[in-house]
Structure formats: structure tokens, C-alpha cells
Amino acid sequence: MNIEKLASTLAPGEAYLITSTENCFYFTGFQNGEGVLLITPEERVYMTDGRYIEAAQAVITCCTEVLSAAVFTDEIERLCSSDGVKTLFVETGRITLGFYEKLRSSLEGVEVTGTEKLENEINALRSVKSAQEVEKIKKAQAIAEKGFDYILTRIKPGVSEIEIARELDFFMLKNGAKAVSFDTIAVTGAKTSMPHGVPGNEIIKRGDFFLLDFGAVYEGYHSDMTRTVAVGEISGRQAEIYNIVLEAQKKALAFLAPGRLCKDADAAARDYIKEKGYGEKFTHSTGHGVGVEIHEKPNLSSRNEKGALGEGNVVTVEPGIYLPGEFGVRIEDMALITAQGSVNLTQSKKDLIVI
Ligand SMILES: [Mn+2]
């Protein structure tokens, strides 16, 4: 169990306090915004308030105690003192400053530390997916792909970006998605040059690209994919850029294997785009991990100097070329790192689709 793996990294006198929704879910399987998880060498205690306690007790099996608390810090103080906790690690990147200060003022004799130890231990666990986690990501991706097939029938001249975004979201929600992975990006024309453009009232026109970046959430796990499709006939320059991005994406996908450096996976796509003269126009990193959050470790980035891929990672590969005022192209798949290399979790066609 992941909670036991995390607990095994504690030294005597140390404890972890997990306050974020996503990490509480990851370790307990219980989805709720109002709860914290305290892990001491002896105990694993989840606490929430009276509104959620019955549901929490029905779901959580990995804890020694699941309790209802009006004031979490009172219970944390009691448990830290009975277990002899001297150092409490918190999620520095996720805890609110208010809660951190409250812990510091209410826990006497306990050092509440702002080091990244807890984050690092959690990220290491979360980046390696179990077979069950991979199944959930695959289910999420299957819902998204069904959505993509459907929305291709709706993309046509005269329809607005926002209509497409809303229709795609609703289709995925009707077809088993608990939520969409993030605000769907559905942009056309010159707006495709904005990597994270927001859909608006712009109308689809012939000769434009339409870019869709979207995903579904299934049992707490996210999917992520991007496709750029042509509406009617496109120019030679559009086709050229599309093919450069596609080739770069295939190169990075082919490079993925355990032990390979994340920055080299980034370079596999980036170097090809540079060679073609568009290096400056590829303005983000090549990919990221996906799981209980849409963006998690590992990052396929030139700034990730030491990180290496490992079996069980699920990462996106999503190079793009963006020409402001003209158009942009991005193509994104998700891949699972396996002992032999990688398996692409995305089935949707990526040779240029002309609608
Ligand atoms: Mn992505």
C-alpha cells in the first residue's frame, strides 16, 4: 500500500501531515476537499468533519483511525504528543500559509518544517503508476477519444469555439467522465498560436486549423490529449508545420524508455524542430506526468536536469509550433513507460485530419 511505503520513510520522532485534496485521495482513496491525513511511525489517521465522516469511514481502509474533528489542530496536537512526534513535515507546495501558521502556534515542542522531504517522497510514489492506476487512466482516455470522434462531426464552418468546447465537455460527462481534466482548449484560426488559448465566440472558417486540448477524469484519474485538425483545404505552410510537429512528436515518443533522461526526451522533439528552423516557436516543455492531477512528475523539460524516466511513469508528449498572428499546431499523446520502452495510450489518428 502506498501509505505504508510513505510511512516507511519516516524516522522515529517524525510525522507527515497531508493537507491537499489530491494527496489525501491518492493515499486513502477517499475524495473530499475537507480532510487531513496524519502519518506517524505508528499511526495513520484521517480526519474530516461531521459532514463527511460516514462516507470517509465507509471508504477508507488503510488508516488506523478515521475520526471526526471540529478543530483539526487539536487532534493533530493530541496525536503528535502521544506518539512523541518532534518533527512534522507538511506539503510545502500545497498547504495554506494560514494553516501552516496555525500548526506552528498550536503544536508545542514540534518543529513544523518547510523542507521538501514530504513532497519529494510523495512525488516519487505518485509518478510510478500501478496496473490499477493505468487502467483508470486508460478508461479516462477512452472516454476522451470517444469525445474526439464525436466532436469531429460537429466541427464545421459557422460554428463557434465555445459551442465546440461545451459540446465536447457535455459528451464526455454523459459518457462516464466524472469531470473534464481541465478547461477544454478549443480554438481556431489565429488563436491556435496561443498554447493555452481560451475558447470564445470566434467562428470556425474554411482553411483554418482547429486545435483541441482536452481530457476526461475517471475515478480520480486524468487523461490528456491534443489534436489539431484542418477545416477544409489548408496552405502548404500549414501542412509543412503540421508535419514537422508530427515528426518531432514521433521522435520523442520513440525515445521514451526507462533510464532515459527527461531532458533528453524533451530534446528528442526540440532538436528536430530546431533543425527545421522553428526552435524559437516551440515555447513550452515537451511533456509532463499525468495521474490524480493533470500535471505531475516527471516533467519532460530541458530544466529537469537529473530526472530519468522509470517503468510505470505515464507522460504526455506534446510538442508544438506557434506562429503568433498566423496559427499554431500541437499534437499530444499519453504514453506509459514499460520495461521494454513505452506503450502509447492514445489511439486517435494523428495524420492530418481534414474536415
Ligand atoms: Mn498536456
Side-chain angles (χ1 to χ4, degrees), residues 297-338:
K297 305 290 179 199
N299 289 324
L300 306 190
S301 159
S302 60
R303 293 183 302 278
N304 187 354
E305 292 285 338
K306 297 199 184 102
L309 294 167
E311 200 177 337
N313 292 163
V314 172
V315 293
T316 67
V317 175
E318 49 178 311
I321 294 177
Y322 308 97
L323 308 174
E326 291 183 76
F327 62 87
V329 173
R330 179 167 66 259
I331 303 167
E332 174 181 30
D333 288 345
M334 275 190 312
L336 168 69
I337 309 301
T338 60

Side-chain angles (χ1 to χ4, degrees), residues 182 196 213 224-226 288 290 294-295 316 318 332:
F182 51 88
H196 280 191
D213 185 350
D224 196 3
M225 70 179 283
T226 305
H288 54 86
V290 186
I294 187 63
H295 293 129
T316 67
E318 49 178 311
E332 174 181 30

